[in-house]
Each structure stands twice: as C-alpha cells, then as structure tokens.
Amino acid sequence: MSTATSTPASAGDDDIDGTALDPAALAFLDSLPSRLRVVRARAARTREDLPARSGCEEDMRLGEAAQRVWDAETASARALAARLRALAVLIESEGGDCADDVDTLRAAMALRVTHGVAQRELLAAHRAVDQLPRTLARLEAGALPSWWFQKVLRESEDLGDESRRLLDAALTAWPADIPVERFLTLLRALVRLLAEREQDPSAPAEALPREVELTPDGRAGTGAASLRGPIPEILAFWKRLDETAHAIQAAQRSALREGTEIPYDLDGIASATQRPVPLDRLRYDLMLNAEFDTDGVRVPAPRFRLNVTVPVFTLLGLSDAPGMLEGTIPLPPAVAREIAGGESVWYRILTDACTGAFLPLPPDRYPPTQAMLENLRLRSSTCAVPGCTRPVSWASEADHIEEFVHTDPARGGRTELENLHLLCWQHHQAKTAGDLDPTRLPVPASGPEPGEGLGPGRTRWRIGTRGEQVITADDIDLGTRLAVEDLDRAWRAFVDRRTASSPPPAQTPPPPPPPPPTSPARSPIPKGPPALGEPAARDEEPGSSPYEDPPPF
C-alpha cells in the first residue's frame, strides 16, 4: 500500500509560492505536536483512480461522470483563487489594507450582492492574499479543494493576523489526500492551539457578552430575538419569568373553575378556549409587554410608525398578494389580514394606478415634514445606496441629493421629495466626503408599457473617483400592479366569453338594383286610394326596403 506523506519545510527549503518560511514560522512548526506537524495520507488520491475508489469502475459512464465532477471542482478552486485575487486588488487600489465603503460598493456592483456580503467577501480576499498566501497558491494550482479553503477562512475568522500566517505555514505540510473528516479535526485543533497562544496570561479575563439581538427565523411571518449573557444571570431571569408565568396560569385556572374574571387574558385566549393560556405564550406576553426602567431618562417618541403595507384586495380576501413589513419583510396574507383587523386606524397610501409607484407629497417647509419622511420610507425601505440593506426605520438620516446651500438656498437643491433620500449614517458620511455622488433622474412621462402612468423614480450613483455608475429605481407597491393585472385578465376573459357566446351577425342581403330612369316627358301614374285593409304606400329612397330591420342605434 502506498503512503502519501508531508513533512514541514526546513529552513533551506522554498515554500510552494517560491518564498522560504521565516524563522518565526519554522520555530512554530517545530513546537507543534507531531500529529499536527507530520500528517500522512494512506494513499494518494488522483483523478485516474477516482472510478475505482468511488465504486464505479465497471460502469464507464459513471466513472467518466465522476472524473468530470473532479475536473469541475478543480476549475472551481482555480476560479475561487482568481476571484479572491481580483477582489484584493479593489482594496489595494485605494492604498489601504482594509475595505472602505467605496471599495465595498464597487465590489457589490461587480458581484451583484448586498453591501454586507460584499464587505465579507473583501475581508476574506484580503486575508487570503495577505495572510494565507501559500494555501492560496495551492488552491490556485488546483491542489486544494475550494470547500477546504473556504473552511480555513471561516475557522480562522477570530484569529489575529500573525496567527493566521502561522496557520498558513502549518497547512503547507498537510496533503490534500487525507479524508475531509480528518482535515476538519486537525484544522480545528490547530486553530484552538493558535487561539490559546494569543491569550495573555497577565491580561484580565475578557468580560462575557451581554446582548440582545434579532436573529433570522425561517418560518413565514415570524421573527426571533436572542438573549445572551452569563449563565447565572440568564438562569435567574428565566426562573423569574417562568415562575411569573406559572403563577398567572394558576390564577387563570382558578378563575375558570370559579367563573370569575380571568386575569392577564390579553388576547382572550382563555375566554375563548376555557383553558389557561399556555406557558410559552404567557412568557412571550410578559416579555413583550414589560416596562423599561430608564432611571428618569426621557425616551423620544419613535421617529417612524411601524408600517405594515397591505393591498386592499388582500384585505377584502380577493387576492393573496402578501403584505410587507417595513417594505422588506413579506407577510403571509392571513397574517397581514390579522394585523390589519386589530388596528383601529388605517393610513391610506396613494400609488400610481398602473405602475404602483408611490405618489409624492408636496413640499411645504424645511426641514422635511413627518409626512415627507414617511413617503421616503415607502420609496426606499433600506438605505438608498445601491447594495446597502440597512433599514431606514432604525438608523437613517434624511439627505439632500443636490446639496442645500444654507447661505443662498435659491442656488442649491430644494427640500422636496425628488431631492431627498434616506441614508444610513455610514453612507451619509461617505456622500459628504465626496466618495458617493447621486443624481436624481427625471421621472419618465410614461411607464415602460404604452398606456401606463408615471414609472418609479430613478437615481444615478457615481461610486468612488473612477467613474463607476449604477442606476437604482424606487420601490413600488407590488400589490397595486398585481391587482391591475388581475383586473385586466378578468376583463379580457369577460370579453372573450361574450364574443364566444354571441351568434354570428346575419349577413345583410345586397340592395336591389336601382329602378330604370324615367322619361322626363312622361309623368308617373298616381296610384289610387288603397283598398280596405291595405297599408298606405310611402315614399322610399331608391334601394331601400320597408321590410329591413332598423339599425341598432
């Protein structure tokens, strides 16, 4: 049986990218345990022996398919390396070692991803090129699977730059012929060892996190929040919450048995079911309705109300178009109807009847009115910068697209909706610094299709100083467009049914030939009076018939 072995490079050996390991890296490799320093594979894994190893040696078709998958993975590894190197150039072009907002926007445009994804991609590219060059070279040569390299990036996220370079030196000695399970075990052990080396024994212990944050939830119409902190504090909080819920449930059970008023029945669940409210629902209600002790600090009123946009046809049960929470989170129709049914005050939102574009409100003063800010929220529920997903309902600032000149307002941009947008504070600073330059484009006189009304507004963004440009369109009310399409289809179906059920029109007989011309020398012989019961004769135009049906108008 053949054995594939890899040992650490010595001081005189060149590494895979042509550069020798520095003394610090060699000393680190010498200090590693043998299982992390000398890694052996039982046998080399090649493309040629893949059919035999995968059990499809007798089936040529399956063996060739397995080899094509091998080739595709090799190409994917090389493409990933090329992508990381290209992304790293975007950072280096600005003369820095970390990405700023302009770099991130440029990468988001090229990758066609959101601002947050582009930021993570740039950071991964910087770490790959600057701190994992030897492992990246193996990836570029097709000698390392792309998934392995991505796993190295994820597992080493919390390491320092120097520890990541030492990790790169150790990975050079590992063959890619070992099983993936063993690779993951060794990688995690090495990362843990490097993390322990970074800890300073004399430094005070790092404080445990105390935080509450929103977390994603895969179920439609639901959200989630995560509470994290020291175990004793979390357990004490849970014990207090759970005991309160049990006490309320016991009181509800007693009230149901005695026929008295049911306590803490906020949504009438106990009255409707004649059973106590479940404990998990009681805990939820207690947390959701808890009052905050701010020690006298005055909390300002919310800048925006919580918007749930529901198409009117969905409210009436005539359509299944979803509602939208804050313009970004779809709500199932049933949830949207339930929320709308529990509100006593509704706000009507005016949109273009065909395009669904939100109709602007007129400006009346500076700064923007609350109604103008609400309209801006509808026009763009996230930061207006392309690729940014930060919601404007939390941390946003109204900004003039064409700068307002305080010394001479007549020369600058006006405070009107077409000259305003909402930006997160990071991108507001980037625009003020000149890294972002938006231009509001004229609203089209008609929509994209003949007969449509005004289309949604558009903004052209110049990114950085190199002239990259991208055009974004305002959000629209999708429910309105869906309703218009439904009505149009219903009308066409009605017309088709009416046309199909109508009998074909009767063919009109050709008119009789005109009478021969009379001689001017002869006079017509007058008819005598009609006989009894005979209708009187009437004068007629040539070619007409008294027995034809009158025209239908």
Side-chain angles (χ1 to χ4, degrees), residues 3 5 44 66 99 113 141 149 208 213 237 244 257 286 300 307 403-404 450 504 510-511:
T3 303
T5 308
V113 296
F149 189 84
L208 295 175
E213 59 183 359
F237 168 77
T244 304
R257 185 172 55 252
L286 286 168
N307 271 351
E403 296 297 337
F404 182 84

Side-chain angles (χ1 to χ4, degrees), residues 147-159:
W147 187 84
W148 289 27
F149 189 84
Q150 292 172 336
K151 196 66 178 177
V152 170
L153 288 173
R154 285 194 294 268
E155 292 290 336
S156 62
E157 282 181 349
D158 296 331
L159 294 179

